[in-house]
């Protein structure tokens, strides 16, 4: 279980560090080609989502790695599930149901991480 946790956590953290970092740092014009929804969401909210994704990625790795409050990793994974629920809602409300496949994969991966974390941490 421990090896599975670290593999899944590393992949999920890498994705969220990249995607969250882009949302937190790049302009709306630079984000628009990859994320058309940034036109309908205020940029401060886009930035907040990005920061939360980066914090979630850090929360998946650092607490279990340091052994200090490893339960924080489960909370981080729950937070990432909630972010994806919001992402699915935004896509569906914009008539982009065909684009939710990545959100569903990320949601399922974070949910699997919650299960792995509760059995190992």
């Amino acid at each position: 279980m421990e090896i599975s946790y670290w593999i899944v956590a590393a992949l999920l953290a890498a994705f969220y560090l990249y995607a969250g970092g882009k949302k937190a740092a790049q302009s709306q014009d630079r984000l628009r080609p990859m994320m058309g929804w940034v036109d309908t969401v205020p940029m401060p909210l886009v930035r907040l989502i990005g920061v939360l994704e980066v914090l979630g990625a850090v929360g998946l790795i650092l607490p279990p790695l340091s052994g200090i409050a490893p339960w924080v990793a489960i909370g981080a994974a729950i937070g990432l599930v909630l972010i994806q629920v919001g992402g699915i809602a935004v896509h569906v409300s914009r008539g982009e149901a065909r684009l939710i496949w990545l959100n569903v994969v990320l949601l399922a991966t974070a949910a699997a991480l919650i299960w792995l974390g509760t059995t190992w941490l």
Side-chain angles (χ1 to χ4, degrees), residues 22-88:
K22 287 181 78 69
K23 290 177 192 122
Q26 289 188 341
S27 69
Q28 188 176 27
D29 292 333
R30 301 254 341 248
L31 292 173
R32 191 175 296 117
M34 282 181 51
M35 304 171 205
W37 57 270
V38 298
D39 287 336
T40 59
V41 176
M43 276 312 285
L45 182 56
V46 174
R47 301 261 185 255
L48 176 64
I49 293 167
V51 168
L52 291 174
E53 288 177 348
V54 170
L55 289 174
V58 171
L60 294 176
I61 302 298
L62 285 185
L65 188 62
S66 68
I68 299 170
W71 52 268
V72 170
I74 296 168
I78 291 168
L80 294 173
V81 165
L82 295 174
I83 286 174
Q84 291 311 314
V85 168
I88 290 169

Side-chain angles (χ1 to χ4, degrees), residues 98-121:
R98 67 190 184 335
L99 299 177
I100 66 169
W101 66 269
L102 179 59
N103 300 93
V104 171
V105 169
L106 292 169
L107 188 148
T109 305
L113 207 53
I114 294 167
W115 177 74
L116 287 169
T118 56
T119 58
W120 171 63
L121 297 175

